[in-house]
Amino acid sequence: MKKNKLITLFLFSLILLIVVSIILILNFNKSNPSLTNNENRTGMFNNDTNSTMGNGQMRSNDTADIIDDSQIQNKLKLPPLLESDQETSTDISYTLTAQAGTTAFKDGPLTETYGYNGSYLGPILRIRKGQNVHLTTVNKLNENTSFHWHGLQIPSNVDGGPHSPIQPNGTATVDFTVMQEAATLWFHPHPEGRTGEQVYNGLAGLIYIEDENSDALDLPKDYGINDFPIIVQDRFFDENNQFNYQDIRNMNGTNGDTLLVNGTIGPYIEVKNERLRLRLVNGSNARNYQFNLSSEENFYQIASDGGFLNEPVQMDTIQLVPGERAEIVVDLSAYKNGDTVQVLDGTAETLSIKIVEEINSEAGSLPKTLNDVSTNFDNISVPDKELTFSGMGNMVAINGKQFDMNRIDLRAKKGITEIWEITNLSDMMSRMIHPFHLHGVQFKVLDRNGEVPPLNEHGWKDTIALYPGETVRIAVEFSKKGIFMYHCHILEHEDNGMMGQILVE
């Protein structure tokens, strides 16, 4: 009899455990919907690309719905083009200061924020291939920070990772030569354990690299006229218009319910009916964006993280994960004075484009050739390195380990191309996109789950989406020696230790 009671108790406990597990999984999937197979992903490709890939509106990192108040209309703020301290035919010098301030985002109290050379976000640094760049970086915050140059191919001692903190009232100099092609890059803090909060408070800015190719291409390039930076972020505002990061921080990625574009709520731009270039930057801590046009028309992607694609790629929607960038061109030639079209994130209005002047000239076609990036997806060898991303919250890890600044996780040789195989381990309780970012290089995506990547991933990348259960192989070649970071660009995951370091010798 006692044995039967024990068996009954055991079975009851087992059933209860299964029921509770199912409830937890359902609740998790409700707030973190993900895809179970590649066929459900749409939008990253056109009809000529591999439809089994896509980039899907996998909003698995999002836990807050965006408030879509289309009644709010504010002219888009434009980051200033930073004036150089000194410039010659070969050298250029800039000064960047991280500082605290207050910013007016909406009616009511000012919001306490961080910014570079201002109260929120930062200016645009313009540099050229072959130029010697000299940066003076100043920390006026009451905490340590660093200046990380996301996407720049520079030596590790000036990369601005967690090894290079600048103390309050401290100053550091950064000197490097630009050795890469035209691209839209960005910069942000990267102090150990504090990146998420400092970016959330406002520390981020853009870098424009130009070269002879970008000069010659017939593309929109009049800043603030037909060429716009679009830094998209999401934020929560409390009843006093404050961010209060520590109160709303989510270990699986902090999200907000209000979209900001260049620090503007409900932004609009006024343009002519010509070709329009938008440099899209996902500057959020964790949210994935799925951009499309309200007109349901196609647009063309012309560049990815590290530079121009070989040719324009026709798209109807594009996803960007945190840290990722894309340049797109929208043809407005068929629009009339007074017409409006919106850039949407799914169904939420991100940017309103208002046509206020008609011009007679035809928009014409985009250049057929933009770049000459070699692509070879055949004969991919056995990977030189294998990385596995796993876990959630404070249990995230790469290859089962969390970040230790005193441990070298990988080693590589300068100038040697390697194949890296990166897997997002998927289980019942961990089904999230992990944006993979690698410092110090621009790499090439070779395949996703053994399939050729879509056309808009045939260029240089420094950040890619790793979907649940997916394996991606990339080709990596470091041109500089030193210690470089690789990590998940969900900033809370990075802060929680989903990061490693590679020594390049």
Side-chain angles (χ1 to χ4, degrees):
M1 181 68 67
K2 185 176 180 180
K3 183 177 180 181
N4 289 338
K5 286 183 178 181
L6 289 173
I7 293 174
T8 301
L9 180 61
F10 172 76
L11 291 175
F12 176 78
S13 300
L14 182 60
I15 292 171
L16 181 62
L17 178 61
I18 292 172
V19 170
V20 170
S21 298
I22 292 173
I23 291 173
L24 288 173
I25 292 171
L26 290 175
N27 286 336
F28 175 79
N29 287 336
K30 183 178 179 181
S31 61
N32 295 278
S34 65
L35 303 179
T36 57
N37 59 69
N38 289 338
E39 294 178 356
N40 288 331
R41 302 179 192 170
T42 60
M44 193 175 190
F45 47 88
N46 63 12
N47 293 332
D48 297 324
T49 60
N50 179 5
S51 62
T52 63
M53 171 49 213
N55 75 345
Q57 191 166 346
M58 284 193 59
R59 311 196 68 92
S60 61
N61 301 355
D62 299 355
T63 59
D65 292 332
I66 292 295
I67 298 173
D68 186 13
D69 189 351
S70 57
Q71 302 303 312
I72 298 176
Q73 292 274 292
N74 294 293
K75 191 168 185 178
L76 177 69
K77 298 175 183 176
L78 290 176
L81 299 170
L82 186 60
E83 292 294 327
S84 63
D85 300 330
Q86 185 176 359
E87 185 171 0
T88 69
S89 60
T90 58
D91 292 60
I92 191 166
S93 300
Y94 288 112
T95 297
L96 277 174
T97 301
Q99 59 193 66
T102 56
T103 305
F105 293 104
K106 51 170 65 176
D107 293 339
L110 298 177
T111 306
E112 295 181 1
T113 53
Y114 287 173
Y116 294 114
N117 295 19
S119 67
Y120 189 76
L121 296 180
I124 294 177
L125 276 62
R126 295 169 295 177
I127 57 181
R128 291 189 63 83
K129 183 176 181 179
Q131 198 169 40
N132 301 313
V133 180
H134 311 282
L135 302 175
T136 300
T137 56
V138 183
N139 180 16
K140 291 297 184 183
L141 303 174
N142 292 323
E143 59 179 307
N144 286 357
T145 191
S146 72
F147 292 72
H148 168 52
W149 318 103
H150 184 125
L152 269 178
Q153 296 172 253
I154 53 178
S156 65
N157 63 333
V158 294
D159 177 64
H163 299 84
S164 306
I166 303 176
Q167 297 180 349
N169 295 316
T171 300
T173 58
V174 177
D175 301 291
F176 62 89
T177 301
V178 184
M179 301 300 292
Q180 62 198 97
E181 62 190 56
T184 300
L185 312 179
W186 67 308
F187 58 94
H188 59 78
H190 207 301
E192 185 175 12
R194 298 284 295 170
T195 301
E197 182 166 12
Q198 291 190 4
V199 171
Y200 196 89
N201 285 340
L203 288 183
L206 298 184
I207 304 170
Y208 285 5
I209 300 179
E210 302 296 344
D211 60 15
E212 292 182 356
N213 181 45
S214 64
D215 293 342
L217 289 172
D218 183 17
L219 294 170
K221 58 187 68 172
D222 292 330
Y223 183 75
I225 304 298
N226 55 21
D227 183 355
F228 290 86
I230 306 293
I231 307 170
V232 187
Q233 301 170 307
D234 57 332
R235 297 291 184 266
F236 271 124
F237 292 88
D238 68 12
E239 64 277 6
N240 294 315
N241 282 352
Q242 303 306 309
F243 289 156
N244 284 333
Y245 175 84
Q246 289 298 331
D247 291 341
I248 54 91
R249 180 180 185 268
N250 185 326
M251 289 190 298
N252 267 323
T254 301
N255 295 268
D257 61 5
T258 302
L259 281 185
L260 300 178
V261 180
N262 300 350
T264 313
I265 298 176
Y268 69 87
I269 56 176
E270 296 178 334
V271 299
K272 302 174 184 179
N273 62 334
E274 58 181 340
R275 288 202 305 252
L276 183 67
R277 181 179 183 179
L278 302 178
R279 304 187 189 221
L280 302 170
V281 181
N282 184 342
S284 288
N285 283 39
R287 185 178 292 274
N288 306 313
Y289 294 101
Q290 187 88 10
F291 297 116
N292 59 283
L293 298 177
S294 59
S295 60
E296 299 185 352
E297 293 175 306
N298 291 325
F299 51 85
Y300 287 89
Q301 183 174 347
I302 59 170
S304 54
D305 298 329
F308 290 115
L309 301 170
N310 282 344
E311 58 188 27
V313 177
Q314 184 172 305
M315 316 275 284
D316 59 12
T317 182
I318 183 172
Q319 176 172 280
L320 294 183
V321 295
E324 210 173 9
R325 287 94 60 214
E327 296 184 35
I328 67 171
V329 172
V330 181
D331 184 359
L332 301 174
S333 60
Y335 287 78
K336 304 296 183 183
N337 187 12
D339 288 345
T340 300
V341 63
Q342 288 82 31
V343 176
L344 304 176
D345 168 36
T347 59
E349 185 173 314
T350 305
L351 174 70
S352 182
I353 302 170
K354 299 182 178 183
I355 289 78
V356 296
E357 181 180 347
E358 290 183 48
I359 56 177
N360 295 324
S361 61
E362 295 291 332
S365 59
L366 289 169
K368 293 183 179 179
T369 300
L370 301 170
N371 208 347
D372 185 21
V373 180
S374 63
T375 55
N376 182 9
F377 305 105
D378 299 324
N379 301 320
I380 298 174
S381 63
V382 175
D384 299 284
K385 291 177 172 54
E386 299 181 39
L387 300 177
T388 299
F389 283 59
S390 62
M392 295 176 60
N394 59 7
M395 300 298 291
V396 290
I398 302 177
N399 287 352
K401 299 177 181 179
Q402 293 193 328
F403 178 62
D404 181 349
M405 195 179 297
N406 298 314
R407 182 187 70 232
I408 297 298
D409 300 284
L410 301 174
R411 294 176 182 270
K413 295 291 185 181
K414 172 186 171 183
I416 302 299
T417 300
E418 294 186 336
I419 307 301
W420 289 25
E421 185 174 274
I422 314 160
T423 299
N424 180 356
L425 184 64
S426 177
D427 55 38
M428 287 193 302
M429 297 303 293
S430 177
R431 295 189 57 77
M432 298 184 68
I433 297 175
H434 289 296
F436 169 78
H437 172 52
L438 178 59
H439 289 210
V441 298
Q442 291 290 332
F443 55 77
K444 296 178 183 178
V445 182
L446 299 177
D447 66 50
R448 288 181 173 273
N449 283 339
E451 300 290 338
V452 174
L455 286 178
N456 68 330
E457 283 193 337
H458 287 199
W460 294 111
K461 297 285 293 174
D462 56 53
T463 307
I464 55 169
L466 299 176
Y467 296 93
E470 184 175 47
T471 295
V472 179
R473 289 196 288 184
I474 64 175
V476 177
E477 180 182 325
F478 287 93
S479 61
K480 307 292 183 182
K481 293 182 178 181
I483 298 175
F484 296 95
M485 315 308 300
Y486 55 89
H487 58 84
C488 175
H489 218 282
I490 295 175
L491 299 184
E492 287 71 28
H493 283 183
E494 173 189 323
D495 286 341
N496 289 341
M498 201 172 210
M499 182 161 60
Q501 51 188 356
I502 179 169
L503 173 63
V504 180
E505 301 172 301

